[in-house]
Amino acid sequence: MIHLRRATAGLMMRGTDETSGSLFSYVDLEARIPARHPLRKIRQVVNEALASLDADFEVLYTDFGRPSIAPERLIRASLIQILFSVRSERQLMEQM
């Protein structure tokens, strides 16, 4: 029997929570949001809360299979949807 568990050079199936930078924009995202905007504080609080949940998320994922979207990204997207009263996930993806 073939053992399906393979550690692909340390690759875990939990997606990474990295930003892609300026993929389609020449203006830095940090420059678009004013320094004193309330979203900056919300982002800081959310990032701290998600960092404290890192170990809990890690045990939920296996080391084989297809990589997922990082749970942190999904939670942030849901928060944006709630904060901006976006009615559906489809509209959220269009607006993002």
Side-chain angles (χ1 to χ4, degrees), residues 33-67:
I33 301 172
R36 298 186 52 91
H37 196 282
L39 282 179
R40 288 192 178 269
K41 183 63 177 174
I42 293 170
R43 180 181 183 191
Q44 178 186 356
V45 170
V46 168
N47 285 344
E48 289 171 5
L50 291 174
S52 71
L53 294 171
D54 188 58
D56 295 323
F57 289 145
E58 194 64 38
V59 298
L60 297 174
Y61 289 84
T62 184
D63 60 351
F64 66 91
R66 183 177 175 193

Side-chain angles (χ1 to χ4, degrees), residues 13-88:
M13 295 304 105
R14 176 178 167 203
T16 60
D17 186 32
E18 297 174 358
T19 58
S20 60
S22 58
L23 184 60
F24 297 108
S25 178
Y26 294 106
V27 179
D28 184 28
L29 291 176
E30 292 297 319
R32 291 182 180 212
I33 301 172
R36 298 186 52 91
H37 196 282
L39 282 179
R40 288 192 178 269
K41 183 63 177 174
I42 293 170
R43 180 181 183 191
Q44 178 186 356
V45 170
V46 168
N47 285 344
E48 289 171 5
L50 291 174
S52 71
L53 294 171
D54 188 58
D56 295 323
F57 289 145
E58 194 64 38
V59 298
L60 297 174
Y61 289 84
T62 184
D63 60 351
F64 66 91
R66 183 177 175 193
S68 71
I69 298 172
E72 296 90 344
R73 287 179 166 250
L74 296 172
I75 291 170
R76 284 189 198 101
S78 295
L79 285 172
I80 289 171
Q81 184 176 3
I82 292 165
L83 290 171
F84 289 97
S85 301
V86 180
R87 287 182 272 157
S88 70

